[in-house]
Amino acid sequence: MELMVAVSAEFGVRSEQLAHAWNVGEDGPRVAVARPVTPADHYNASELLGQAVIVLGSLAGGVTANAIYDLLRRLLKRNARGRELYFQKTEKPDGTSIIEVRLSDDGPTDRP
């Protein structure tokens, strides 16, 4: 099973950087292997324009969405500049699952 992750351009991160950070981390490779993709190569590019996109392949059995969100939160926390991360999972009619990661509309928070 594969899961696509689309990270908003607000984070200032490229697909290659995100996939690398996921794959060299301690927990990421235990959950899945990340590979960068160009949305135009396999997906509706207009939906994901300007976003860093990776595909998490070979997902480990029993991995929950919350576990994936937590790993993404750790990877992207520095790029959030004190703003909250917002996750939205969408199931497309063709069976593709996409987790979109955006920053909240609110300004920086006091939370670490």
Side-chain angles (χ1 to χ4, degrees), residues 82-97:
R83 291 169 61 190
E84 292 290 323
L85 278 68
Y86 174 75
F87 297 91
Q88 179 179 349
K89 185 174 180 185
T90 305
E91 300 287 336
K92 297 294 183 180
D94 66 359
T96 303
S97 296

Side-chain angles (χ1 to χ4, degrees), residues 2-97:
E2 291 187 338
L3 178 65
M4 185 181 347
V5 177
V7 177
S8 170
E10 296 174 289
F11 287 92
V13 65
R14 294 187 333 264
S15 301
E16 296 81 11
Q17 294 169 312
L18 185 57
H20 177 75
W22 179 281
N23 290 330
V24 300
E26 186 176 325
D27 297 324
R30 293 181 192 165
V31 172
V33 174
R35 71 178 188 280
V37 296
T38 304
D41 289 347
H42 303 287
Y43 308 103
N44 184 345
S46 64
E47 291 179 22
L48 303 173
L49 191 61
Q51 299 189 40
V53 179
I54 63 171
V55 171
L56 302 177
S58 304
L59 282 169
V63 174
T64 66
N66 284 340
I68 293 171
Y69 297 163
D70 287 343
L71 284 169
L72 288 168
R73 188 174 282 111
R74 281 189 264 162
L75 290 176
L76 295 168
K77 182 178 179 177
R78 182 176 349 134
N79 298 69
R81 298 174 303 280
R83 291 169 61 190
E84 292 290 323
L85 278 68
Y86 174 75
F87 297 91
Q88 179 179 349
K89 185 174 180 185
T90 305
E91 300 287 336
K92 297 294 183 180
D94 66 359
T96 303
S97 296

